[in-house]
Amino acid sequence: MNNNDAKIMRKAIYPGSFDPVTNGHLEIIRRAAKLFDKLIVLVSVNATKNPSFTSEERATLLRKVCYDIPNVEVDTFDGLIVDYFEEHDCDIIVKGLRAMSDFESEFQMAHINKHLCEKAETVFLCADSESTYLSSSMVKQIVSFGGDISAFVPAAIIDDIKKRLGRTT
Ligand code: PNS
């Protein structure tokens, strides 16, 4: 074995609001976990959104649905993604792309992150066809009107979401 064959440990972060985690997010998490040695799913602050769940609540929901993926860790961070990236010696930022509408802002963020931290490469995974139309805000809207969200979020967290956002009458 020469130096080129030595095992390189690749640590990735998947930042997002996850308010709450959907089947679309989970599908990206499962695929990214196969590509990297360690994946940190990072509940982060999107300054343009007003979340329904606290960061800790969102992390708890994520841990509930990721418990069976051994190389996945869930964390929270209130700051710049690149600061967490550097502090935790990460190698890659993972993002999911659903449609062209995601592309513009994701492209911008990837460039800004690279500008702020030269080492911060972003890798995009395309959402599967089932998830292209899915978003946390749609899930919240459906549940708030008493609709069925079982096709959109993991079964383990349906009751938690209903308890917080569902109709009481
Ligand atoms: O799930 P979202 O809301 O699309 O995720 C967006 C998020 C949280 C990843 C983005 O807003 C973010 O990176 N927030 C942290 C602050 C930061 O590092 N911004 C990047 C430079 S603009």
Side-chain angles (χ1 to χ4, degrees):
M1 187 168 94
N2 64 35
N3 278 347
N4 293 335
D5 296 330
K7 179 100 177 84
I8 298 168
M9 168 92 176
R10 289 275 178 208
K11 196 201 277 193
I13 49 170
Y14 174 28
S17 299
F18 307 108
D19 185 46
V21 56
T22 66
N23 286 340
H25 295 128
L26 189 55
E27 190 252 336
I28 296 288
I29 292 168
R30 287 193 189 285
R31 282 164 52 206
K34 287 185 191 153
L35 297 175
F36 304 103
D37 298 294
K38 182 167 184 172
L39 178 70
I40 301 172
V41 182
L42 191 63
V43 177
S44 319
V45 175
N46 182 337
T48 68
K49 291 182 180 169
N50 191 10
S52 303
F53 295 87
T54 67
S55 296
E56 265 321 312
E57 286 170 337
R58 286 178 268 157
T60 300
L61 296 179
L62 275 161
R63 288 188 188 107
K64 260 192 179 181
V65 302
C66 294
Y67 76 95
D68 63 337
I69 320 172
N71 59 332
V72 167
E73 188 184 308
V74 178
D75 202 358
T76 62
F77 188 63
D78 177 3
L80 284 177
I81 297 306
V82 289
D83 288 341
Y84 187 97
F85 183 94
E86 287 192 300
E87 279 163 28
H88 291 78
D89 203 20
C90 299
D91 302 291
I92 300 282
I93 298 171
V94 173
K95 289 293 193 74
L97 277 184
R98 289 166 301 184
M100 281 308 283
S101 51
D102 281 345
F103 184 74
E104 203 170 328
S105 62
E106 291 297 347
F107 188 75
Q108 192 179 16
M109 273 192 275
H111 275 285
I112 288 178
N113 284 334
K114 183 95 171 84
H115 177 85
L116 294 173
C117 170
E118 177 62 29
K119 200 189 144 207
E121 296 289 354
T122 301
V123 167
F124 293 106
L125 296 184
C126 291
D128 70 2
S129 52
E130 304 248 304
S131 308
T132 49
Y133 58 88
L134 186 52
S135 70
S136 298
S137 42
M138 287 295 167
V139 166
K140 291 192 279 188
Q141 201 175 125
I142 295 166
V143 82
S144 71
F145 289 115
D148 179 9
I149 54 168
S150 57
F152 308 129
V153 298
I157 62 168
I158 290 176
D159 284 345
D160 298 292
I161 298 171
K162 279 187 183 168
K163 211 182 285 174
R164 165 56 66 89
L165 303 171
R167 278 196 158 168
T168 47
T169 53

